[in-house]
Amino acid sequence: MKRSVLLPPALLCAFLPLLGGQAPWETPARSIAAERILAHTRVLASDEFEGRAPGSPGEEKSVAYLAEQFRSMGLQPGGSGGSWTQDVPIVGVTSDVALSLADSPGGGFRPLAFPADFVAWSPRLEPSVAAADSELVFVGHGVTAPEFQWDDFKGTDVRGKTLLILVNDPQVPDPRDPGKLDPRVFKGNAMTYYGRWSYKFEEAARRGAAAAIIIHETKAAAYPWFVVVNSWSRERFGLQGSTEPTVPLAGWMHLDQARRVLAANGSTYEKAVAAASRRDFRPIPLKQRVAFSSRQTVRPVRSRNVFAALPGSDRRLRDDWLIYTAHWDHLGRNPKLDGDGIFNGAADNAIGAAGLLEIARAFATAPVRPKRSVLFLSVTAEEQGLLGARYYASRPVHPLARTVANINIDGLNPWGRTSDLRQIGQGSSTLDEVLLATAKARGRTVLPDAHPERGTFYRSDHFEFMKQGVPAIYINPGGHFLGKPAGYGESKLAEYIDRDYHKPSDEVKPDWDLSGAVEDLQVLMETGWRVADAHRMPAWKPGSEFHRERP
Ligand SMILES: [Zn+2]
C-alpha cells in the first residue's frame, strides 16, 4: 500500500477494504470476459432486434433480454414494486415537412429539396404547423451567454422569424495568440453547451421564433450531413407532458444551400462566420422569406428504462446509490433507405449495454458486496435527446441527494488494448482522482478528452445526471494502442465516424478485439466499487459548471 501514502486522505479509505491482501473487486473484475460482452452485443445488435427503436418490437425484445439477464444474475429488480423496468412516457412524432424560400417579400416561393438541401421537423405535438411568410434572419451562433458577456441577439425581436444559425459556439481568436482560440471565451477549442443543437433550438423557442435552422458544417458539427439526415428524418421522440417551450419548426440546412442563401445577400459563409465570431455581432436580416408546413402523426409510447439493484452491505450506507448507466436504444430502421435499413447500433450502444450487463454480473458474483447500493440502469431514448436518463433524473427511484455518482457507458473500445483511456468532462468532480488512482493501480493512464471541440461531454446520459447535481464519469477509448503504430486509434475512430456512426452498417465487425474493452470495464468496475465504499461522497470541484447543491 505504499502507493496510497501519496493520496489525499479522502481516498485512503478506498484502498483499505482488502481481503487477505486482495481488494474485494479484484476477483470479480478479473472475471469480466470479452466472450460474454460479444455474445450480448451480437444479440442486441442482431437484425431481429430491428435497431432497438423506442416503441418498436425491438424495444420489447431489448427490454425483455436485459431484464432476463439481470434476473438470471441473482440481482434484485430495480423498481420498488419488484419491477425490472421504469415506464418512460414519451411521444413519437413523424413530420412531413415542406420548406420553401422566396427571394423577396411576396416573391415566388421555391421548395427546397429534402434531403439534399435541408432536413426539418416540428418538435410540437400537434397534427400540423405552418408559417406562410416568415422573415429569415442570420443570428450567428444564436447564443446568449451572460457568463461570457456574449449576446448574439442584442435585443433584436425575432418573434415569428426564421433563424439561420451557425453550429458550435463562437470561435474567438485569442488576442495574445491569434493562431489559437481564446480559452476565456466559450472555453476556447472545447465545445460548450452553447454549441449544441439542443441549446440553439431551446434559445430560439424562448425567443418566440417561428423556425430555427442550423447550418450544417461537418467539422464544426463533428459529424457529416448523412448523420443529420439519418438522425432526424424519422420518427422522433419527446417526453410526454414536457412544459419546455418548443420552436414550431426545427431543422438543419446543408452548407451548399446556406452558401446560396448568403450569396444572394452579397455575403459568403466565411464572412458570416467571421462576423459571428465578434462580440459586437448583431443579427443580420436576410432578403429571403420562408414558408413551411408540416403534417405530423403523433403517437404516445410507453417506453422503458430497465434496471437491477445490488443492495449495499453497510446498514448506514445502503440507502446511498451508485448508478451505472448504458442506453439500450438506437435508431431503429428506416424503410426509405436501400438495403435492410436496420440501424443495428452494435458500437452505439449494444456494446455498452453488454458492458453494463457484464459489470452487473461481476458485481453480482462477488463474494462480498460494496457498502453502498448499486443500480444498473439501461436507459431508453438516448438517441432522442437523452430522454430515458432525463426521465430517471427527474423521477429517480432513489433520491438524487443520496445518489453518489453516475458511471456511464456509451460505446466501448473494440480495437484492442490501450495503455490510456480518455475521460470526458475531466475536472468537474473528485471522481477524477478515484478514476486516476484506479487506472494507475491497473497500469493505465487517464488523459483528458482528445476532442473537446466535438462536445462529446453533452452527448450522452451522464449529462442528465450532472445537470441534476450528481457527479459522473464517462470515458472514451484511449489512443495509445499496444503493439499498434501511433495514430491507429485516431484512424479507427475516424473510420467509424465516417463509415458506420448512425448508419445501418454499425454492426459487429469481424476484426473486433474486445481485450481493451475488458480492461476499461475493469477500471469502471473498480472505480465504482471504490466510490461505493468510500467514507465520503464525491464532491464537485470549485469552478465546475455543475457546482451546486444536489436537490
Ligand atoms: Zn450512444
Side-chain angles (χ1 to χ4, degrees):
M1 293 307 295
K2 219 172 155 197
R3 195 186 302 113
S4 60
V5 173
L6 297 170
L7 293 170
L11 285 176
L12 278 172
C13 53
F15 285 85
L16 294 179
L18 300 178
L19 290 176
Q22 202 192 38
W25 51 75
E26 205 45 51
T27 301
R30 275 195 210 129
S31 77
I32 291 176
E35 310 83 72
R36 275 189 292 263
I37 302 167
L38 192 60
H40 292 313
T41 306
R42 283 192 193 284
V43 173
L44 292 166
S46 65
D47 285 352
E48 201 194 325
F49 280 59
E50 298 182 47
R52 306 185 304 283
S56 75
E59 159 155 2
E60 300 304 321
K61 289 177 180 155
S62 304
V63 167
Y65 183 78
L66 293 165
E68 173 53 26
Q69 291 300 318
F70 283 141
R71 196 193 57 75
S72 71
M73 293 167 190
L75 291 166
Q76 297 191 1
S80 46
S83 173
W84 295 98
T85 57
Q86 176 186 41
D87 282 359
V88 180
I90 59 177
V91 191
V93 186
T94 311
S95 301
D96 189 2
V97 177
L99 178 65
S100 310
L101 290 183
D103 276 336
S104 57
F109 280 96
R110 287 171 294 103
L112 297 186
F114 165 84
D117 299 335
F118 80 101
V119 54
W121 63 95
S122 176
R124 297 250 164 117
L125 307 177
E126 295 162 11
S128 67
V129 296
D133 188 2
S134 166
E135 291 175 38
L136 185 64
V137 189
F138 174 64
V139 294
H141 296 86
V143 165
T144 298
E147 68 273 41
F148 299 118
Q149 300 88 49
W150 194 280
D151 178 19
D152 284 329
F153 292 93
K154 306 284 193 303
T156 304
D157 182 358
V158 296
R159 279 175 296 174
K161 296 178 183 172
T162 295
L163 311 187
L164 194 59
I165 311 170
L166 295 174
V167 73
N168 214 312
D169 50 29
Q171 312 282 297
V172 183
D174 190 339
R176 295 161 300 189
D177 180 1
K180 292 205 178 91
L181 295 179
D182 190 340
R184 296 163 303 181
V185 190
F186 297 102
K187 297 189 180 174
N189 187 44
M191 188 192 285
T192 64
Y193 186 60
Y194 297 108
R196 295 286 298 150
W197 52 261
S198 47
Y199 166 77
K200 293 168 195 294
F201 296 145
E202 288 157 13
E203 187 62 35
R206 283 191 285 270
R207 291 175 177 274
I213 312 277
I214 299 173
I215 300 173
H216 176 264
E217 206 265 302
T218 298
K219 183 162 177 290
Y223 40 77
W225 177 245
F226 66 72
V227 170
V228 175
V229 174
N230 282 344
S231 304
W232 294 107
S233 64
R234 61 176 68 234
E235 185 176 36
R236 298 163 325 283
F237 295 88
L239 284 178
Q240 267 177 43
S242 168
T243 53
E244 287 162 33
T246 51
V247 72
L249 192 82
W252 294 76
M253 185 179 281
H254 193 282
L255 181 57
D256 294 344
Q257 175 58 38
R259 286 186 186 282
R260 289 192 285 274
V261 166
L262 293 164
N265 286 274
S267 186
T268 65
Y269 176 69
E270 287 69 25
K271 278 186 197 164
V273 170
S277 303
R278 296 172 52 100
R279 206 180 285 278
D280 60 3
F281 171 82
R282 306 186 78 84
I284 302 170
L286 301 176
K287 66 183 204 174
Q288 289 91 351
R289 315 287 290 200
V290 179
F292 63 81
S293 65
S294 177
R295 280 181 294 110
Q296 331 216 86
T297 48
V298 177
R299 170 175 88 103
V301 169
R302 180 188 63 110
S303 191
R304 278 149 299 172
N305 292 331
V306 189
F307 51 17
L310 180 73
S313 61
D314 186 301
R315 260 186 317 110
R316 289 160 304 123
L317 293 176
R318 66 163 52 132
D319 289 335
D320 287 356
W321 289 80
L322 166 74
I323 305 185
Y324 283 95
T325 48
H327 72 89
W328 59 256
D329 69 297
H330 194 54
L331 297 168
R333 55 196 310 174
N334 190 343
K336 290 179 203 157
L337 296 181
D338 296 341
D340 69 4
I342 296 174
F343 291 71
N344 302 83
D348 185 12
N349 185 34
I351 196 173
L356 177 75
L357 287 177
E358 187 57 357
I359 281 192
R361 189 203 54 76
F363 268 100
T365 56
V368 292
R369 283 175 286 138
K371 291 178 180 166
R372 292 187 175 83
S373 299
V374 185
L375 190 70
F376 305 98
L377 171 64
S378 190
V379 289
T380 181
E382 187 271 356
E383 305 286 9
Q384 307 297 329
L386 319 180
L387 300 184
R390 185 176 313 155
Y391 188 81
Y392 182 88
S394 67
R395 286 174 183 73
V397 171
H398 309 286
L400 292 190
R402 306 296 332 160
T403 301
V404 294
N406 167 235
I407 298 179
N408 183 41
I409 308 169
D410 192 355
L412 281 171
N413 163 21
W415 305 310
R417 298 173 64 207
T418 62
S419 59
D420 58 336
L421 48 85
R422 294 279 178 179
Q423 186 190 2
I424 309 301
Q426 196 177 64
S428 54
S429 80
T430 56
L431 290 172
D432 294 355
E433 281 69 36
V434 188
L435 178 66
L436 199 68
T438 302
K440 198 177 167 200
R442 307 194 78 87
R444 311 281 305 281
T445 54
V446 180
L447 297 177
D449 191 350
H451 294 286
E453 75 282 5
R454 291 179 186 168
T456 310
F457 178 67
Y458 306 101
R459 289 164 60 181
S460 191
D461 299 303
H462 59 281
F463 183 53
E464 293 297 334
F465 285 91
M466 295 181 89
K467 278 203 300 196
Q468 299 297 332
V470 177
I473 287 178
Y474 175 47
I475 65 165
N476 269 9
H480 299 285
F481 282 78
L482 304 185
K484 296 285 187 342
Y488 177 79
E490 275 290 316
S491 72
K492 291 303 271 186
L493 184 63
E495 184 183 294
Y496 165 69
I497 291 176
D498 188 45
R499 292 187 194 165
D500 300 326
Y501 175 64
H502 284 199
K503 288 175 109 175
S505 59
D506 180 1
E507 304 199 55
V508 174
K509 305 290 182 194
D511 69 340
W512 272 16
D513 170 358
L514 299 190
S515 55
V518 166
E519 294 188 343
D520 287 357
L521 288 171
Q522 288 170 333
V523 169
L524 294 182
M525 181 187 181
E526 179 178 336
T527 300
W529 198 305
R530 287 174 187 261
V531 170
D533 270 4
H535 286 190
R536 272 190 260 157
M537 290 169 70
W540 294 107
K541 290 182 173 169
S544 156
E545 61 188 294
F546 305 98
H547 187 209
R548 62 188 181 87
E549 292 303 311
R550 293 160 194 251

